[in-house]
Structures are given as structure tokens and as C-alpha cells.
Amino acid sequence: MSFNSFGHLFRFTSWGESHGPGIGVVVDGCPPGLAISSEIIQRDLDRRKPGQSRYTTQRREDDLVHILSGVFEDERTNGLRTTGTPISMLIENTDQRSKDYSEIRDKYRPGHADYTYDQKYGIRDYRGGGRSSARETAARVAAGAVARLVIPGVTIRASLVQMGPHKIDYANFDWAEVDNNPFFCADPKAAALWADYLDEIRKSGNSVGAIVEVVAEGVPPGWGAPIYGKLSSDLASAMMSINAVKAVEIGAGLDAASLTGIENADEMRAGNSGPYFTSNKAGGILGGISNGDPVVVRFAVKPTSSILTPRNTVTRDNHDTEIVTKGRHDPCVGIRAVPIGEAMMAVVLADHFLRHRGQTGRDAGIGFPPASEHL
Amino acid sequence: MSFNSFGHLFRFTSWGESHGPGIGVVVDGCPPGLAISSEIIQRDLDRRKPGQSRYTTQRREDDLVHILSGVFEDERTNGLRTTGTPISMLIENTDQRSKDYSEIRDKYRPGHADYTYDQKYGIRDYRGGGRSSARETAARVAAGAVARLVIPGVTIRASLVQMGPHKIDYANFDWAEVDNNPFFCADPKAAALWADYLDEIRKSGNSVGAIVEVVAEGVPPGWGAPIYGKLSSDLASAMMSINAVKAVEIGAGLDAASLTGIENADEMRAGNSGPYFTSNKAGGILGGISNGDPVVVRFAVKPTSSILTPRNTVTRDNHDTEIVTKGRHDPCVGIRAVPIGEAMMAVVLADHFLRHRGQTGRDAGIGFPPASEHL
Amino acid sequence: MSFNSFGHLFRFTSWGESHGPGIGVVVDGCPPGLAISSEIIQRDLDRRKPGQSRYTTQRREDDLVHILSGVFEDERTNGLRTTGTPISMLIENTDQRSKDYSEIRDKYRPGHADYTYDQKYGIRDYRGGGRSSARETAARVAAGAVARLVIPGVTIRASLVQMGPHKIDYANFDWAEVDNNPFFCADPKAAALWADYLDEIRKSGNSVGAIVEVVAEGVPPGWGAPIYGKLSSDLASAMMSINAVKAVEIGAGLDAASLTGIENADEMRAGNSGPYFTSNKAGGILGGISNGDPVVVRFAVKPTSSILTPRNTVTRDNHDTEIVTKGRHDPCVGIRAVPIGEAMMAVVLADHFLRHRGQTGRDAGIGFPPASEHL
Amino acid sequence: MSFNSFGHLFRFTSWGESHGPGIGVVVDGCPPGLAISSEIIQRDLDRRKPGQSRYTTQRREDDLVHILSGVFEDERTNGLRTTGTPISMLIENTDQRSKDYSEIRDKYRPGHADYTYDQKYGIRDYRGGGRSSARETAARVAAGAVARLVIPGVTIRASLVQMGPHKIDYANFDWAEVDNNPFFCADPKAAALWADYLDEIRKSGNSVGAIVEVVAEGVPPGWGAPIYGKLSSDLASAMMSINAVKAVEIGAGLDAASLTGIENADEMRAGNSGPYFTSNKAGGILGGISNGDPVVVRFAVKPTSSILTPRNTVTRDNHDTEIVTKGRHDPCVGIRAVPIGEAMMAVVLADHFLRHRGQTGRDAGIGFPPASEHL
């Protein structure tokens, strides 16, 4: 029922507005004894933070994370360990520039949550979207960084695979390329083309949508829980909760609608270490439970709603007007959604690992440190 | 944490296997005083039940629902009223034919949950999929029928909009046509073409995927709750939890990725009764909260995994083999997913209505009977 | 948020009214592979069922349990095993005698939930209390019988330790005596005295309260979770949810208020297999977490509200009247609360065991069958 | 499942350790539009804070609260209003004195959670109890202060009614006296006697238990939800989650066990504005639902475990030793539990009000501002 929390055994609660003193997250249910540090969290936050290229908002936020609770010194290593109690993390807002937003306080920005928050709550924090700002996603990334510690045997990576109408060529796909371009794109040729395309979009005061693909490798068979705790169902919820996301696909996704049963069947063969699948149309999930193949999720991000081109809108007291959103905005918010998608994948998997271990007692195969190795 | 429950204030728990004595559902949190009857529930169940045309499984189940609790006689009307306590509904299994499944007890059916349940639980109910059978969806439809009573001002309808590669033409779209063809298709011309296409698929021992579109009209602005209780997020979870679903879209969905911000903006104008949107790319949801426009969700259903064409697979003890699934199966499970999609939409909306009313005290605009009119 | 569910990883949902077709419970989250049978469940139900002596209600219910889902045949043993899916259990109502209650339909019985249900829901099932009837507790006992299977190394027993003003003498305490008298009393001398006392109470058309003590032995240190998932907090919630319970104590309980810190300290000593406590004022719980000592909970049950002595009350339309409740009632409902207290203890512990195992990976010390021994 | 959260529609999550940088709480689900300020929160915190008399710990903490999110300026009043989004509050730790605790790092303090946290987590924050410190209760008080805003028509007060063996005389009971003595005691004569008694206890290096009574007036009939969401059940869970609490009573509580049905019956009479009860043995709750009478809860707090008298204990590596806990401790922690009990009552009632309003649409009678009066 808590609207600002996600997860069950591994659960986080985020808080904060775009232009308040800061934002934060409380991670509850993290197992004890895991080595942790601000640096580990910061590394993921730095990938999401704004102002890193001309393709993302020029708002300058250091997004420095402070760990306020849930950790203790491990005297053997002089590092920090999780204690099993809530990990509270705080990120201060340092570059709010509230005045940028004062002129829109009485207008609803099309495509934003301005109108719906006002209708729901009867009160509206107009400073940069308030709670509905994408700034909230920094909290997710911090939670995701903790989640990764829970499932060290699982590798989670993501890539932008489509920008506007331009898709990558999977023949060029190379995870090593993701950090070599400002788009988190695994296809370097596509990234080169996108650079020109996005410059043009940006200069014309427009914006564009994108598709992110998130892949988790190393997930053993058995995670996920029928019927309403399916891994796929939780992933859909997780990704759809990200700002501006309008579609979520697992494996073949929407294309599965066009296929026949013969085409869509992931056939099985006997392997040395057990059965394996000869294809992965399923995206690693059957009946809501992981099958040992990579878990593959894609999600579509709509174009940034804040654009420099005038749009029709209304005032708060219902008069026609126009709006141009002059703030510092990303021409393609899909780019910064890449580390956010990774974070949500990590949270869902960490939660399902703990739930699976709780219900079945099984935890082999992911490199999780046994209790005996804990402090 | 309860894996077989869905919802929060309005919440249901389903139970039962394909080939046990029956399946059922317990609906908790339904408001008191609502007129209810077995007939109301049965009407929705009848739309989902198998054996109604040559395009759905020939398994014959009457799917008769028994209401076991949560209702009481209203002496003024001689009808039943909900009492506010759990509504337990039971549907007996009457046509199990367990022997159909005995030959597959030691083989994993590709595309099914056989392998993953076995990996997770170390035990497998091989009779028709056990818990993972689509038979569970009858429970959802019963719960959805109750949910509709909670939000009488909201109209929820669904249509098959794509079968295999064949899409409908929205120019022909007419809700009145949905019950005039065996596909729940709002485009009668498409339905006519699909009949031939699906006959061919079926005769060739194959199957095909589909896309379902669910639309809720009459949802007032303000339902849904940021950040992890977004209406969109809960709808994604709801639809992705349906058997064989691999993708969920809201509004423009995946297409939003290809659009620019100028194209995607739903502009606003001042109307007599408040602001309105001149388009609905958003699918009725902004920032996770309803905006007063129709809520539009589409989901993709993969082709039936059980087909009469041999597929490679392995035995439970990891030897290569082949399998032909001879049971009585739907050549396009997407068809029967139409009333299921409606049911899940109803449950999500009923739940959000109650949560919204709880948090904000607002319940105007949906025709919900005020407490004073209750018994 | 589900008002008729209890627990988290191990969770049950109960439904049903006193005078409907039956009552039932759905147990969700039970681990797979556990040997189960109707007989195991029935054994616990038989201890709670009415009509077993002149000291409990003469309503005759066989309380036969039907397991409708969640189990499958283990071919090696020809017995049933849990499958990890929801276990639905049904108990039919066979001796409703609705007419007994028709005369009270327009009066509120003092001490009952008649008035409050009517105020809350605006509708009232007056047949034997409807949902508020103690009949619901059969569902708890069935769920508790399943919970015991999850924690086979834990022994859970209970005794009536006070009836009206008459306490047992702990010097006589012998668990073996509990089933030798109609009061589930571990002190045979007290039981003998209570027989006469309760006869007198019963014959005078009166009733009396009682205290039940529940003890769980074999709980290893470490179960329970700070801060709002404390073992003590969940036990308090569990016991207070039982009909007619007005107080819950852990360990020294209310007496702890009168003690000094010197008196109340459970001191520790080094033992061969680790530290131990030289006393158990804590009732086996420190900081909400089990300490390895027996977990000791007591709860007070108020006297049966339905008595044969006239009491002042009002009609539904607010006129003064009197009432005599003529139904078949227990003169001391505390007696039948004994197996119910055991059941709730079992559910809380099973839930905490799974949560603990999920969060920490530790499951040693309770004899839980390792996954490798599952089917 | 979140172990550090409490509540459902109104829900808070606390975090922080005794000797970390601070503690805090995130309140989720608070309705929008309520007037709020730091001062309102601080007023309640000041009642709980240490160092206010010689009877509470001499640790000096200002306990200044910072509201970090969830509020916005109301231009009409120049004050703050809740926005419906999470209210994050931070209280810095300013007087940690970590060295006080260094000598106990390898010993378990009897009666504390040292041993159980170590057994559960394999890691122990020995600084002042870490997460298990009563310092966490400041977070509850802050959440409770917000909860009070949600139910302005309800008056919640508490009094210490027993210290060690010394009970108050209810004939002297006067709420106005509660803030006139350092014990929050409504009986001024008892308070005078306790002063001497507690001085003696304190000087002898000992401590003592206490009983707190919390009363909520103005709760309309109908709040609470059967069966596992009973108002009584949630109150039991809430109070038992407070540090050092070992028993919880509703209404007649433990005494109900000694009463007969005739004695315990709260009879009803017809009043001008509806039925009323002629006594309140029920403590305002019947069948888990409020009946309109004051809700009365008592809880027993054990004596402070940290005492200046040596106690037997063991070292972390299982050797016999002794311990004297020299920190700055309360001789009777029950005193400071008074505002904490009020806070937990407020949270439970606010949550149930929202749940009740959600499920039934009824919110009359508590003076809650209608949505139309919100900003």
C-alpha cells in the first residue's frame, strides 16, 4: 500500500522533490555482512547524473551520496559491512534554480504530471515537477547499487537500442562499447549516427523517444513466483514505474504476437550440466520463473515532454494559453534511463532471490557468500 | 509477499490447479452494500470459458461459479448484497481427463512452465500444467466481475486488435461488434479474415500470437499514486501476470520511442467542464495518475506453446527427445485473454479507486453509491 | 492491506460466515515437498471442534477438512506432498440452525460485534455472528497445522493456565496432562477444581474468562526482525486477533512492570554449545528476536458474551430492550482458544523462519528438510 | 514484509542507529492539504527527548527535526501544507559519546538485544545498541505527530499509571496533571510518591518497570477491520513493537479473564444520538471495530536493562564474565514511553481512518477537513 516503496523482502522507499533540500532512499531487508562503501553507490549514480554531455540536461548536480545508517566497520578489512538494518542514503539538491520554474506555476505542461497531481492532491509543487521529477530516479540507482551486492553472481547490463526511429544493428552489439559513447549504446556505429541525429533534434527545440534493453546474466533457474509474483510481472511493474516509460517487453515481446507457435518455441536439448534452450524468445522467463537463460527486458521511453517549441495548454483556472518549457532538459531522456533500468532489474532480482531462498531454501549458483563467511 | 494475491485495498487471492477438484478465488476489501448475484459473475465467466467455438480449446467446462461467503440477503430487494467481508468463489473442475497428460509427465513441454516449476519446487504437477495452467484465469475473471461493481461509472471493454501479423483497421472499430464474432474483435472485416487464417493455423498443427487492447472510459482524473503505485505500473504488472503475455503498452506504447516531443505532446484546451486533452498519446495516464481520458492498455500474447507439431525437448532426467502436445488447446490463446484483460483492468481500477478515496476523501464522478444509499 | 490475511512469506487468507455454506482458508507460501495429508490437518481441527464435552458449545460440527489444491502425489511414498502453490482448504457448515438466531436480528447483543459491524458496513449478517463468529478460528487451526510442517524442529504446546479467578499451580505443570481433561490444562489438580466451578457457572446462565499460555520450544536464536517485524509484535497481533482476546503477554508480561532491573535481568552463562540464559523473564525474545529459549506467550480471553442471563441492550432502531442469548454457547470460550493459540504461534514462527532464511540464508537448527531431500 | 515500516495506507519507515549521523523517518500516504510545520512535530518530540529531569537519561540531544520533503508553501497562509507525497524527517545525533560503549563491545548486556542481533546478523553495532536503541522511538513520535493531523477530531492522551509496584488511584485521575510532573502521571499524589521511590531506585543502581495507559477519545464507531486487520490487533502490534514492552491490554485486559459474562457485559441503552454503552470493559473495541467509546490501551514496560549493578553475562566468544552498564540511562524507561504510546495510537488510528474511508466511503464525525477545503 506504500506508494513510494518497491519490493518485498528487499524493499526500498524513496522520498524527495526536485527542488527541496534533497532526495533520498531507505533500503530495507538488505542481508547483513556485505561489503559496501559510498564509492560503490557513487559509481552507479555517476552514470545517471546529469550534465555529462551535451545530450543530457545541463543541470549540474554532483549527486554525492551520504550513507546515513545500516552499515558498520568491519575491523578485519577496515571497510564497511551492511548490518541487516535499513540503509538510508541522502543526496542533496545543490543546483535547484527555482526561479526557472516560476513562470509555469499557473500553467500545466503538456505530457507532464502537473495536471494530474493537481487533480489528485489539490496542491501542486510546480518547482521542476516536484515529486514527479525524474530526479527521483537517483534514489532508484542508489537502491539498485545495493541490490547488486546481494546477487554478486548476476551481471546486469543495459544498452540504448533505439533512438527515435533509429534502431541499433544487433550484429554490432558489444557490451564493451556501452561506456564509449554518450548514449550507453552497445552498437558504436549506431551511436555515431545518433550523435548527429540528436544534435539536430536538440537544436530544433524538439526531443525524441528511445528504447532501452536490460539483460541479466547468471540468474539461475527458479527465481520468480506464480501467479501474481511472477518475475515478469514484477519487472513490468518496475520498468513501467520509471518516468516516461510507456511500454515493457520481455524476450520476444510485442513481436511474439506475430509469431506462430512453431517459430516461438524455445526448444530444449540435454547439456552436460543439465537441459538448455536453443533460443531465448522467452527472455529467460517461463511461467513467471527464470529458466537459466539471460533475463531480457526492453522498455520504451517517450520523448521528453519539456521542449522549446510552443505547445497549446491551459492555465490552472482553465483558460487557453501556450507554453514553452525553458528549463534545462534532456533532448532524449531515454539515455539516462539506461542505468535506471539496470537498477530496477537489480532490485527485482535481489528481491526475488531472497524470496526464493526464503520459500525454498535454495541459494546455489549465484556466488552469494554463505552465512559462515559473514563477519 | 503473497504470491497468489493481487491488489491492495481491493485484493484477491486465487488458488487451484488445472486438474484438481476445482479452482477458486477470495476477494477481500470489496465495499459493503453492493448488489451482487451469481448471474453477474457467471456472465463474465461465460465469455472466457472454453469450448465456445472451434477456435478455442474443446475442453468442456461449465465454469459454474458458487459464491460461498461475503454476501447477505437484502430484504428490501430479495437480492444479495456484499457485506464487506471476503467473497469466496468456487469453480469446480468437471472435465479433467487426466490421462491426456500422463505421457508428458517425464518430458518438459517447450514454452511451458514445466521446467521452471520443476527447478523451483523440485516437484511438478504434470496434469495440464497444474497451477501454471490458464485455467487459473477463470479466478481472475470472477474477481474482475466483482471489481466492476465497485466502479459502476467506469466502462471497461476490450478487443483483439492483432492476430499473428494481421492487425485490425481502427477505421472499422466498433465496440458493438466485439460479441458478434468468435474473436472479440471490434473490426468485423478483420474478424472475417482471421477466421480463415486461424483455421489454417489450427489445421497445420500450429498456433499464433495476438494483441489485446483494453479501454476504460469514465475514469476521473486523480486515480493512481506515485511513484511505485502508479496506475500504469500496476496495469503493467496486472497484464504481464496473465499467462503467455510478453509485452504491455500504455497509450502510444512502443511507438512513443519513435516519436518526437512535438508529435507526442497531448496538448490541452479549456473546456466547459474543465481542461481537456486534444489527443491521447498518454493512454489516459500522466505521471502514473489518470488524466480523465480513456485509459488504454495493450498487451501481446505469445502463440500457444502446446502445438501438434513435434518440437525438440528433454526428459526430466536430461535426455534428448521430442514432444507433441496432444491435449485440447486453443490455436490462439489471445482470444480468451480478452475478458481476462478486462477483468485485470477492473481490479486495478477498483483498487485504485478505493486507495484514492482513502487517501484523499474524493470519490465524485464515478457513480459510486454513497454510503447513505447502502442498505 | 488485506484484512482477512495474516503473515508475509507464509501467509493465509480465511473466509466464511458462521451460517453460510462453509468456511475456508488459503495458505500461500508454504514450501514445496513437505509430506501432508487431510489427517494431519484434521487432528488439529478435532481438538478445536465444538461439542466435545459439556463445557463447550453443543453445536455439532464434524469440521471435516477438504484439501482442494496445493498438493500432489509423491509416487515414492504414495502420500501427498506440498507443491509450493496455494493450499486451499474447505470446511463445510453442517449444523447451522439459522432459526436460533432469527429473534436477535433486530437487537444488538452486548459484547458482540453486532453493533460495530452494523455501524461499519451498514449491513449485518445476524446469523450467529456471521463473519465475526468464532467459527472462523477453524480456518486458523487448519493453517496452523500446515505451518507446523514448515518448522518440524519446533514443538508448540499450550495450556489453559487460569479460569476465572482460579490459576493453575505451576508446580503441578505437566504437558502430558493437557489432553487428559476437557480444559487443555497442564495442572490436573486445577482441572479437577475447574470442572465443578464451570458447571456452576454454566448452570447459573453465566460464563467466565480464562488465560491461555502458549510455549514454543526449539526455536533457534535469530528469528524475528526489527523494528516493526518483531517476533513479539507479530505474536501480539496474532493473539489479539483471536476472538474475545483482550490482553497479550510475552514472558514476564504485565509482571515486568512491577520488577526492578536486578530482578528482571536474565543473566547469561557460557555453555558447551554456546551462551545460555539462567532465567527466561524475556519469554525467549530480546529486541524482537528469538534468543534460543522457549518462546512464551499468554493471552486473556474474556468471558463468553452470549449468556442466558438477561442484559440491557437496544434495538437496531435505537429503542431500549433486553436480550437473552439462547444459542448453544461455550461457558468458557478460553478452552477452545487453546488449539487456536497454538495455531497462531505456528503461523508466526513459520513465517519468521522463512523470512529469516530469506534475509540471512540461515536455516540450521530446526530440522527443516534440506532442499536436496525434497521430492 | 518491510521490517522497518508500520501501517498500510498511512505508513512510516524508520531508519538509523543510536550512534550514527542521525535517525529519521519517511511518512507515506499522508493526505494532502494538511497544515504542518516543524514546530508541530517538534512539540511532540520535545516531550520524548532525554535529559529533561533527573529521572531520564542525561544524554543531551536537542532532537531537532528537519522536514526534507512532502510539504509545500500555502500562499494563502504563508504556512506549509502536506502535498500527499512522502514526508521525510531527519533528526541528527549530536551527543553520541561512542567511547562510553567501547568496553562492552565484546560482552553481551543481559536484557538487551546484543546477543540476538549478533546471532541473527553475524555483525553487531555495539555503539549504544545500534538499531535496537530506544533512540529509534524519536522517529515514531515524529510520525505520530503527522498522524494526529490526519484525525483532528480525535484526542489522544496517555499517562503513566503504574511504576514498579505502585499504581495510581484512578479517583485522582486528571489529564491536566500529566504535564505537571516528570512522570506524565495523571494522578498528582502518585507522582509525588514516585519521585521519592524512583530516586531510591536510581541511587541504588537499579531500575524499575511501569505501565502506560493510552486513551483515544472521539473515534467514531466503525474503524478497524476484521479479521486480521482488527483495530485491537494493530494496536497490540504497535505497542508491542516499542522497546522493552512485554504486555498489551485493551479495555479490561488481563482482568477480563477473572470476570464472569454478567460482570463483563457492556450493556447498551438508547441515547438521543444513537445507542451508547453504560460501561467500557471493551476498551472501545468490539470484534476488532471501534464502538464509539474511548479506545483504551495499556502496555507494560520492563525495567531498564542497563543498570549499575553487576550482572553475570558472557563474552562474544562464550566465556563467563560480569557487566556493569555505565552509560547514561533512564531508571524507568516507561516514563519516556508515554509520548511514544500516544504516537503509535495516532498512527494506528490515522491508518484505520484512511482504510475505513477507502473501503466504505464514510468519514463523518472526526472533523476531517473535506477535500473541498484543501488548498
Side-chain angles (χ1 to χ4, degrees), chain D residues 200-221:
Chain D
E200 195 181 336
I201 287 284
R202 186 170 55 87
K203 286 172 187 162
S204 66
N206 207 343
S207 64
V208 73
I211 294 181
V212 176
E213 181 169 309
V214 190
V215 179
E217 289 169 290
V219 178

mmCIF file of all heavy atoms in Angstrom, chain D residues 200-221:
data_model
loop_
_atom_site.group_PDB
_atom_site.id
_atom_site.type_symbol
_atom_site.label_atom_id
_atom_site.label_comp_id
_atom_site.label_asym_id
_atom_site.label_seq_id
_atom_site.Cartn_x
_atom_site.Cartn_y
_atom_site.Cartn_z
ATOM 1 N N GLU D 200 15.326 6.610 44.913
ATOM 2 C CA GLU D 200 15.923 5.497 45.639
ATOM 3 C C GLU D 200 16.402 4.413 44.661
ATOM 4 O O GLU D 200 17.518 3.902 44.756
ATOM 5 C CB GLU D 200 14.858 4.935 46.583
ATOM 6 C CG GLU D 200 15.374 4.016 47.666
ATOM 7 C CD GLU D 200 14.190 3.528 48.513
ATOM 8 O OE1 GLU D 200 13.147 4.236 48.540
ATOM 9 O OE2 GLU D 200 14.311 2.451 49.109
ATOM 10 N N ILE D 201 15.522 4.074 43.726
ATOM 11 C CA ILE D 201 15.873 3.075 42.704
ATOM 12 C C ILE D 201 17.142 3.514 41.958
ATOM 13 O O ILE D 201 18.087 2.747 41.773
ATOM 14 C CB ILE D 201 14.699 2.920 41.705
ATOM 15 C CG1 ILE D 201 13.531 2.165 42.355
ATOM 16 C CG2 ILE D 201 15.153 2.245 40.414
ATOM 17 C CD1 ILE D 201 13.716 0.671 42.481
ATOM 18 N N ARG D 202 17.150 4.760 41.547
ATOM 19 C CA ARG D 202 18.245 5.289 40.741
ATOM 20 C C ARG D 202 19.549 5.267 41.531
ATOM 21 O O ARG D 202 20.583 4.814 41.045
ATOM 22 C CB ARG D 202 17.913 6.727 40.314
ATOM 23 C CG ARG D 202 18.904 7.362 39.356
ATOM 24 C CD ARG D 202 18.340 8.673 38.809
ATOM 25 N NE ARG D 202 17.960 9.604 39.877
ATOM 26 C CZ ARG D 202 18.806 10.480 40.442
ATOM 27 N NH1 ARG D 202 20.062 10.538 40.043
ATOM 28 N NH2 ARG D 202 18.379 11.286 41.395
ATOM 29 N N LYS D 203 19.466 5.707 42.787
ATOM 30 C CA LYS D 203 20.694 5.790 43.581
ATOM 31 C C LYS D 203 21.251 4.416 43.893
ATOM 32 O O LYS D 203 22.460 4.252 44.078
ATOM 33 C CB LYS D 203 20.427 6.569 44.871
ATOM 34 C CG LYS D 203 20.289 8.070 44.599
ATOM 35 C CD LYS D 203 19.823 8.826 45.835
ATOM 36 C CE LYS D 203 19.536 10.286 45.509
ATOM 37 N NZ LYS D 203 18.695 10.921 46.535
ATOM 38 N N SER D 204 20.394 3.427 43.948
ATOM 39 C CA SER D 204 20.869 2.071 44.246
ATOM 40 C C SER D 204 21.364 1.357 42.995
ATOM 41 O O SER D 204 21.625 0.162 43.017
ATOM 42 C CB SER D 204 19.746 1.271 44.906
ATOM 43 O OG SER D 204 18.695 1.066 43.991
ATOM 44 N N GLY D 205 21.473 2.078 41.890
ATOM 45 C CA GLY D 205 21.987 1.454 40.665
ATOM 46 C C GLY D 205 21.023 0.448 40.089
ATOM 47 O O GLY D 205 21.417 -0.504 39.412
ATOM 48 N N ASN D 206 19.760 0.669 40.329
ATOM 49 C CA ASN D 206 18.749 -0.259 39.868
ATOM 50 C C ASN D 206 17.809 0.463 38.890
ATOM 51 O O ASN D 206 18.025 1.621 38.527
ATOM 52 C CB ASN D 206 17.974 -0.793 41.093
ATOM 53 C CG ASN D 206 17.393 -2.179 40.854
ATOM 54 O OD1 ASN D 206 17.269 -2.631 39.725
ATOM 55 N ND2 ASN D 206 17.036 -2.833 41.951
ATOM 56 N N SER D 207 16.770 -0.208 38.452
ATOM 57 C CA SER D 207 15.777 0.392 37.557
ATOM 58 C C SER D 207 14.444 -0.277 37.850
ATOM 59 O O SER D 207 14.387 -1.218 38.638
ATOM 60 C CB SER D 207 16.168 0.173 36.096
ATOM 61 O OG SER D 207 16.157 -1.204 35.792
ATOM 62 N N VAL D 208 13.376 0.195 37.188
ATOM 63 C CA VAL D 208 12.067 -0.368 37.504
ATOM 64 C C VAL D 208 11.143 -0.274 36.295
ATOM 65 O O VAL D 208 11.314 0.595 35.431
ATOM 66 C CB VAL D 208 11.466 0.358 38.740
ATOM 67 C CG1 VAL D 208 11.018 1.767 38.361
ATOM 68 C CG2 VAL D 208 10.324 -0.433 39.347
ATOM 69 N N GLY D 209 10.161 -1.174 36.261
ATOM 70 C CA GLY D 209 9.198 -1.206 35.159
ATOM 71 C C GLY D 209 8.048 -0.250 35.377
ATOM 72 O O GLY D 209 7.983 0.465 36.379
ATOM 73 N N ALA D 210 7.113 -0.226 34.425
ATOM 74 C CA ALA D 210 5.990 0.711 34.505
ATOM 75 C C ALA D 210 4.879 0.278 33.557
ATOM 76 O O ALA D 210 5.076 -0.584 32.701
ATOM 77 C CB ALA D 210 6.453 2.122 34.146
ATOM 78 N N ILE D 211 3.710 0.889 33.767
ATOM 79 C CA ILE D 211 2.584 0.665 32.863
ATOM 80 C C ILE D 211 2.079 2.005 32.346
ATOM 81 O O ILE D 211 1.921 2.950 33.113
ATOM 82 C CB ILE D 211 1.439 -0.111 33.547
ATOM 83 C CG1 ILE D 211 1.912 -1.531 33.894
ATOM 84 C CG2 ILE D 211 0.209 -0.182 32.644
ATOM 85 C CD1 ILE D 211 0.868 -2.401 34.556
ATOM 86 N N VAL D 212 1.851 2.054 31.030
ATOM 87 C CA VAL D 212 1.356 3.264 30.369
ATOM 88 C C VAL D 212 -0.066 3.004 29.886
ATOM 89 O O VAL D 212 -0.349 1.941 29.347
ATOM 90 C CB VAL D 212 2.260 3.629 29.163
ATOM 91 C CG1 VAL D 212 1.695 4.837 28.415
ATOM 92 C CG2 VAL D 212 3.686 3.888 29.613
ATOM 93 N N GLU D 213 -0.937 3.972 30.082
ATOM 94 C CA GLU D 213 -2.297 3.874 29.544
ATOM 95 C C GLU D 213 -2.510 4.958 28.496
ATOM 96 O O GLU D 213 -2.256 6.132 28.761
ATOM 97 C CB GLU D 213 -3.327 4.022 30.673
ATOM 98 C CG GLU D 213 -4.769 3.912 30.194
ATOM 99 C CD GLU D 213 -5.751 3.791 31.353
ATOM 100 O OE1 GLU D 213 -5.542 2.927 32.231
ATOM 101 O OE2 GLU D 213 -6.721 4.566 31.392
ATOM 102 N N VAL D 214 -2.963 4.543 27.333
ATOM 103 C CA VAL D 214 -3.211 5.476 26.234
ATOM 104 C C VAL D 214 -4.708 5.471 25.926
ATOM 105 O O VAL D 214 -5.306 4.400 25.808
ATOM 106 C CB VAL D 214 -2.434 5.079 24.963
ATOM 107 C CG1 VAL D 214 -2.506 6.187 23.917
ATOM 108 C CG2 VAL D 214 -0.999 4.718 25.275
ATOM 109 N N VAL D 215 -5.284 6.653 25.815
ATOM 110 C CA VAL D 215 -6.721 6.765 25.580
ATOM 111 C C VAL D 215 -6.977 7.666 24.369
ATOM 112 O O VAL D 215 -6.418 8.755 24.276
ATOM 113 C CB VAL D 215 -7.435 7.360 26.818
ATOM 114 C CG1 VAL D 215 -8.945 7.502 26.561
ATOM 115 C CG2 VAL D 215 -7.188 6.501 28.047
ATOM 116 N N ALA D 216 -7.799 7.179 23.450
ATOM 117 C CA ALA D 216 -8.194 7.996 22.292
ATOM 118 C C ALA D 216 -9.680 8.278 22.380
ATOM 119 O O ALA D 216 -10.490 7.351 22.368
ATOM 120 C CB ALA D 216 -7.866 7.265 20.994
ATOM 121 N N GLU D 217 -10.015 9.567 22.460
ATOM 122 C CA GLU D 217 -11.422 9.958 22.501
ATOM 123 C C GLU D 217 -11.823 10.599 21.180
ATOM 124 O O GLU D 217 -11.019 11.275 20.546
ATOM 125 C CB GLU D 217 -11.650 10.938 23.657
ATOM 126 C CG GLU D 217 -11.539 10.255 25.005
ATOM 127 C CD GLU D 217 -11.493 11.235 26.166
ATOM 128 O OE1 GLU D 217 -10.455 11.925 26.295
ATOM 129 O OE2 GLU D 217 -12.464 11.295 26.922
ATOM 130 N N GLY D 218 -13.066 10.363 20.787
ATOM 131 C CA GLY D 218 -13.552 10.958 19.548
ATOM 132 C C GLY D 218 -13.472 10.023 18.354
ATOM 133 O O GLY D 218 -13.743 10.447 17.224
ATOM 134 N N VAL D 219 -13.104 8.781 18.593
ATOM 135 C CA VAL D 219 -13.078 7.804 17.494
ATOM 136 C C VAL D 219 -14.519 7.368 17.215
ATOM 137 O O VAL D 219 -15.177 6.822 18.094
ATOM 138 C CB VAL D 219 -12.228 6.577 17.867
ATOM 139 C CG1 VAL D 219 -12.249 5.547 16.738
ATOM 140 C CG2 VAL D 219 -10.802 6.984 18.206
ATOM 141 N N PRO D 220 -15.015 7.599 16.017
ATOM 142 C CA PRO D 220 -16.398 7.209 15.729
ATOM 143 C C PRO D 220 -16.510 5.688 15.595
ATOM 144 O O PRO D 220 -15.510 5.010 15.400
ATOM 145 C CB PRO D 220 -16.668 7.888 14.382
ATOM 146 C CG PRO D 220 -15.340 8.040 13.741
ATOM 147 C CD PRO D 220 -14.350 8.212 14.857
ATOM 148 N N PRO D 221 -17.724 5.137 15.707
ATOM 149 C CA PRO D 221 -17.878 3.699 15.502
ATOM 150 C C PRO D 221 -17.495 3.325 14.067
ATOM 151 O O PRO D 221 -17.723 4.109 13.145
ATOM 152 C CB PRO D 221 -19.378 3.446 15.724
ATOM 153 C CG PRO D 221 -19.924 4.682 16.330
ATOM 154 C CD PRO D 221 -19.002 5.800 15.994
#
